[in-house]
Amino acid sequence: MKLIKNGTIINEGRSFVGDLLLDGEFIKEIYEGEAPRGNYDEVIDASGCFVLPGVIDDHVHFREPGLTQKADIESESRAAAFGGVTSYFEMPNTVPQTTTLEAWQAKRQLGAEKSHVNYSFFFGATNGNVNDFEQLDTHRVPGVKLFMGSSTGNMLVDKYEALQAIFKKAKELDLPVMTHCEDTEIINRNMQLAKQKWGEDPAVEHHPEIRSEEACYESSRLAVQLAKESGAHLHIAHVTTAKELEFFGKDENITGEAVVAHLMFSDKDYAVKGARIKCNPAVKTDADREALRKALGNGKITVVGTDHAPHQLKDKQGGCAKAASGMPMVQFSLVSMLKLVDEKVISIERLVELMCHNPARLFHISQRGFLRPGYKADVVVVRKGEPWKVTAEVIQSKCKWSPVEGDEFAWKVEQTFCNGSLIYDKGVFDAASRGEELEFRNNS
């Protein structure tokens, strides 16, 4: 048995100095204060550290299969482990797309063979595959991912009857529908006008004008309408605008995700970061960022993810038309959010709600997301100390760059335990580690 000793435990709205006892894959006991004396196989001294549940990232793109020049499951799950992320849900816009049962099963097999942390894979909706939903193992899939606007991977669902059928079937099967909400017609019109004004590849500063507030709001409004008509659980990914926040907080079946990029950056950062912070939907104004930050505390945002989406740096060159959209963030999501704790944007207890407890609740993940006896021992130990700088050598993602490269953080991930195994320990990584497939809706 392993004992994590003398740390400040943050769990279920409480903060206290105590000990955490792990027995194999599971949490055996949580002690407020000292654990009884005994012969433990390993004692980890967490004095001066904070002990949290492992982070659950509900939104990553690990690019395998078919796009492995950008990233793969091994490299990105390693980056996750370095960042204190012990579980992730991966998105379907790979090659082939995860829109058939065969592709979904093949990706699950890749996860079993290669993932260092716990894994699960969304099933992607198309205009014509709604009948396949019934054949999914609903205990092994987090939900259905629906692109209601053009994005990477060309998975746009644009037929109203298909959208209605997707929401209806998801409700029948008790599967959440996670949507990418941007209106393609509005974006195309804005791009055409931008090219007329600024040439064939408008500067990246114009990205939030093209992928505009209106484009996001109109698509989200339609998604909310479909959710209310069907009764399905709608989870809107990467909310970016203050205006969209009006959709949340009134109906527990309609929830919103904020991603770290939109909480850290605003349109003023394009001048320095350039296309490195180009993503879909776009990083928007200071006012939008401030509204999103406020929404972390008032309950309008339920979950914080990353939309981790690596590209080779050569593909990030150019402006609105040419530079690829997306950025790698999974390794730095927890330390970024802890920076917001230092800035008094949220409390550390609320951070744990947003990044650990709420993803587990919202997607009904079995035995994870909390520090509880009998739950899987997914645990991260973090420490605040001397500032350190993100350099290329630190970055574990295969693409070897990050929008936070050059930035300083005061917090560090000291240890990551996944299913009771210490897979990351102060820079030392267990390359042989393998995570487990997540289970959902098992009422445990």
Side-chain angles (χ1 to χ4, degrees), residues 77 80-81 85-88 115-119 416 418 423 434-436:
S77 65
V85 176
T86 54
S87 299
Y88 63 84
S115 185
H116 294 296
V117 297
N118 306 315
Y119 57 90
T416 303
C418 188
I423 64 171
R434 291 293 177 270
E436 296 178 352

Side-chain angles (χ1 to χ4, degrees), residues 3-5 42-51 78 81-84 331 379-384 388 394 396 411-417 421-430:
L3 186 69
I4 303 172
K5 196 170 174 58
E42 193 174 348
V43 177
I44 295 95
D45 185 5
S47 300
C49 296
F50 291 79
V51 180
R78 173 170 18 103
F82 273 65
Q331 186 178 347
V379 184
V380 57
V381 179
V382 295
R383 181 191 297 274
K384 188 177 179 183
W388 60 280
V394 168
Q396 297 300 310
W411 289 86
K412 257 189 175 176
V413 173
E414 296 273 283
Q415 281 118 355
T416 303
F417 296 82
S421 295
L422 180 56
I423 64 171
Y424 173 78
D425 185 14
K426 299 175 185 173
V428 178
F429 179 64
D430 178 6

Side-chain angles (χ1 to χ4, degrees), residues 78-213:
R78 173 170 18 103
F82 273 65
V85 176
T86 54
S87 299
Y88 63 84
F89 306 165
E90 209 264 350
M91 293 294 157
N93 50 337
T94 47
V95 180
Q97 296 167 349
T98 319
T99 54
T100 66
L101 290 165
E102 293 76 17
W104 181 64
Q105 298 284 20
K107 205 179 258 191
R108 292 174 66 201
Q109 186 61 37
L110 284 171
E113 292 168 3
K114 300 183 70 173
S115 185
H116 294 296
V117 297
N118 306 315
Y119 57 90
S120 189
F121 301 98
F122 272 96
F123 191 76
T126 69
N127 278 317
N129 72 348
V130 69
N131 290 331
D132 290 342
F133 295 3
E134 288 185 358
Q135 296 175 63
L136 292 168
D137 181 349
T138 57
H139 297 305
R140 292 299 187 181
V141 66
V144 173
K145 178 63 186 288
L146 172 60
F147 287 90
M148 292 179 64
S150 58
S151 187
T152 308
N154 195 27
M155 285 181 60
L156 174 64
V157 179
D158 55 2
K159 294 178 181 172
Y160 188 71
E161 296 78 12
L163 290 169
Q164 285 182 309
I166 288 163
F167 275 85
K168 183 183 177 194
K169 184 59 70 176
K171 168 62 177 172
E172 287 174 15
L173 299 172
D174 193 27
L175 287 173
V177 180
M178 188 169 183
T179 53
H180 178 127
C181 286
E182 290 184 288
D183 187 288
T184 303
E185 284 186 19
I186 294 171
I187 292 167
N188 290 345
R189 185 173 70 238
N190 290 344
M191 180 63 91
Q192 189 178 357
L193 291 169
K195 286 183 174 182
Q196 287 169 9
K197 262 189 188 179
W198 298 298
E200 281 303 299
D201 189 26
V204 73
E205 285 84 354
H206 299 296
H207 192 53
E209 299 161 29
I210 294 165
R211 288 182 174 264
S212 63
E213 176 192 80

Side-chain angles (χ1 to χ4, degrees), residues 174 176 233 358-367 439-444:
D174 193 27
H233 177 194
N358 284 353
R361 288 186 185 115
L362 191 153
F363 291 95
H364 304 286
I365 305 173
S366 298
Q367 294 182 300
E439 289 189 47
F440 304 90
R441 293 167 284 274
N442 274 354
N443 300 318
S444 60

Side-chain angles (χ1 to χ4, degrees), residues 161-303:
E161 296 78 12
L163 290 169
Q164 285 182 309
I166 288 163
F167 275 85
K168 183 183 177 194
K169 184 59 70 176
K171 168 62 177 172
E172 287 174 15
L173 299 172
D174 193 27
L175 287 173
V177 180
M178 188 169 183
T179 53
H180 178 127
C181 286
E182 290 184 288
D183 187 288
T184 303
E185 284 186 19
I186 294 171
I187 292 167
N188 290 345
R189 185 173 70 238
N190 290 344
M191 180 63 91
Q192 189 178 357
L193 291 169
K195 286 183 174 182
Q196 287 169 9
K197 262 189 188 179
W198 298 298
E200 281 303 299
D201 189 26
V204 73
E205 285 84 354
H206 299 296
H207 192 53
E209 299 161 29
I210 294 165
R211 288 182 174 264
S212 63
E213 176 192 80
E214 181 194 13
C216 295
Y217 182 83
E218 287 303 316
S219 185
S220 291
R221 185 183 57 75
L222 175 59
V224 169
Q225 177 189 318
L226 289 160
K228 286 182 173 176
E229 287 173 0
S230 63
H233 177 194
L234 167 66
H235 186 52
I236 298 182
H238 41 46
V239 177
T240 58
T241 71
K243 193 174 181 184
E244 287 170 282
L245 292 170
E246 71 182 45
F247 295 126
F248 308 108
K250 304 164 196 163
D251 183 339
E252 64 181 18
N253 266 344
I254 296 168
T255 55
E257 172 207 59
V259 301
V260 177
H262 300 122
L263 296 166
M264 300 300 292
F265 306 125
S266 77
D267 56 1
K268 290 178 181 172
D269 293 305
Y270 289 114
V272 175
K273 302 276 188 183
R276 288 186 180 219
I277 60 165
K278 180 175 184 270
C279 55
N280 300 338
V283 169
K284 294 188 174 66
T285 67
D286 276 348
D288 289 311
R289 179 180 65 179
E290 290 314 304
L292 288 173
R293 287 181 170 194
K294 187 176 179 184
L296 297 177
N298 67 20
K300 291 199 168 187
I301 290 295
T302 305
V303 170

Side-chain angles (χ1 to χ4, degrees), residues 300-363:
K300 291 199 168 187
I301 290 295
T302 305
V303 170
V304 170
T306 60
D307 193 9
H308 174 88
H311 294 281
Q312 291 178 295
L313 202 49
K314 68 181 177 64
D315 297 328
K316 292 293 287 181
Q317 308 309 306
C320 295
K322 291 186 178 174
S325 290
M327 64 187 92
M329 281 297 285
V330 74
Q331 186 178 347
F332 305 108
S333 61
L334 179 53
V335 293
S336 294
M337 293 300 293
L338 285 164
K339 185 181 272 193
L340 295 190
V341 171
D342 287 344
E343 293 171 9
K344 305 284 192 271
V345 174
I346 53 170
S347 67
I348 195 167
E349 292 84 3
R350 182 63 182 156
L351 177 154
V352 168
E353 286 279 332
L354 292 161
M355 300 185 82
C356 313
H357 301 339
N358 284 353
R361 288 186 185 115
L362 191 153
F363 291 95

